[in-house]
Amino acid sequence: MTAHGWVPTGTVYGALLNFRGEYAHWQPRMGDKPYGGAPKAPVLYVKTANTFAPHGASVALPAGEVVEASASLGLLIGEHGAPTHALLVNDLSLAHESYYRPPMKFRNRDGFLGLPLEPTPLAALGGIGGLAALELELRIHGVHQQTTALKDLVRDIPTLLKDVGEFMTMRPGDVLLVGSEVLADGTRPRVAVGDAVEISAPGLKPALQRFVAEEASDAGPPQVARAPSGGSGSALAQSVGGRFS
């Protein structure tokens, strides 16, 4: 814990195209250049440390941009590369139409990873197997916007961990996000100034963040919800077995 709530001490990786609705939405473009086919390994991206927004934090929305919220489950890695805890997150992004590799700036603005008060031990959730039936709820001002069911994962959690482990090593303190689902039209719930967004699921601490207007400053963008940096220095490198955005 920090004075402002729990934040990861390692690198946060997220998986793209790992829910059936999201995969189906992008499938017609999977044959486009430069890829020429569906990915054979997990497609990963990195959430940098400036994105960490502790539970209850206020997050500044970039002026003139459309921001989408998404509910995801994170796996906190312990010793020997095995997950020990689970946590709910709000994985925010600027709305975009880029396939596979949207620019990092879309997902890595300050405060763009909403976190819970603390992770939950897997033992309290029935282990890895106990996660399969979870449904994640996304609410804005208490009004239901989306339900994400982990039974709809393309790669279930054991398979995702195995496949990621074939081309990279997860270190203690790292977090792997299992992915997030789209709405029926391929978008995700959008947030506006004044919104309070909560991600919840049975047995897990919720992630709650509030959204405020970005303040104009000659010093550059506001540093809302920043946290100390840390994690694997090689996280931004192109992997051999998978792809990073």
Side-chain angles (χ1 to χ4, degrees), residues 108-190:
N108 288 281
R109 301 296 289 265
D110 291 345
F112 266 29
L113 188 68
L115 297 164
L117 184 63
E118 60 186 1
T120 301
L122 284 178
L125 300 166
I128 288 289
L131 302 176
L134 278 180
E135 294 188 347
L136 317 183
E137 302 288 339
L138 189 155
R139 291 180 173 84
I140 300 178
H141 292 308
V143 179
H144 175 266
Q145 302 292 326
Q146 185 181 26
T147 298
T148 298
L150 296 192
K151 65 179 177 61
D152 293 329
L153 286 169
V154 175
R155 286 179 170 88
D156 63 18
I157 291 173
T159 303
L160 180 64
L161 287 165
K162 174 181 175 294
D163 289 353
V164 169
E166 288 181 355
F167 63 85
M168 64 176 285
T169 299
M170 301 287 288
R171 296 176 171 84
D174 288 350
V175 175
L176 178 63
L177 308 181
V178 302
S180 63
E181 184 59 290
V182 298
L183 299 170
D185 63 357
T187 67
R188 291 178 167 87
R190 295 181 172 182

Side-chain angles (χ1 to χ4, degrees), residues 17-206:
L17 303 174
N18 200 36
F19 273 91
R20 293 173 187 171
E22 181 193 35
Y23 191 96
H25 175 72
W26 290 108
Q27 191 169 25
R29 296 177 61 180
M30 290 182 183
D32 294 352
K33 294 180 179 179
Y35 303 106
K40 296 180 174 60
V43 181
L44 301 182
Y45 58 94
V46 172
K47 300 292 283 195
T48 48
N50 67 295
T51 66
F52 300 166
H55 181 73
S58 293
V59 178
L61 291 177
E65 302 280 7
V66 176
V67 177
E68 295 181 330
S70 60
S72 187
L73 184 81
L75 303 170
L76 178 60
I77 305 301
E79 298 296 330
H80 310 299
T84 58
H85 293 68
L87 59 140
L88 296 173
V89 305
N90 183 1
D91 187 2
L92 295 147
S93 176
L94 299 182
H96 58 273
E97 290 296 327
S98 299
Y99 175 54
Y100 278 170
R101 294 184 190 226
M104 285 189 65
K105 66 180 181 179
F106 286 3
R107 292 185 175 273
N108 288 281
R109 301 296 289 265
D110 291 345
F112 266 29
L113 188 68
L115 297 164
L117 184 63
E118 60 186 1
T120 301
L122 284 178
L125 300 166
I128 288 289
L131 302 176
L134 278 180
E135 294 188 347
L136 317 183
E137 302 288 339
L138 189 155
R139 291 180 173 84
I140 300 178
H141 292 308
V143 179
H144 175 266
Q145 302 292 326
Q146 185 181 26
T147 298
T148 298
L150 296 192
K151 65 179 177 61
D152 293 329
L153 286 169
V154 175
R155 286 179 170 88
D156 63 18
I157 291 173
T159 303
L160 180 64
L161 287 165
K162 174 181 175 294
D163 289 353
V164 169
E166 288 181 355
F167 63 85
M168 64 176 285
T169 299
M170 301 287 288
R171 296 176 171 84
D174 288 350
V175 175
L176 178 63
L177 308 181
V178 302
S180 63
E181 184 59 290
V182 298
L183 299 170
D185 63 357
T187 67
R188 291 178 167 87
R190 295 181 172 182
V191 296
V193 171
D195 283 348
V197 180
E198 182 181 55
I199 312 297
S200 62
L204 289 151
K205 301 288 186 183

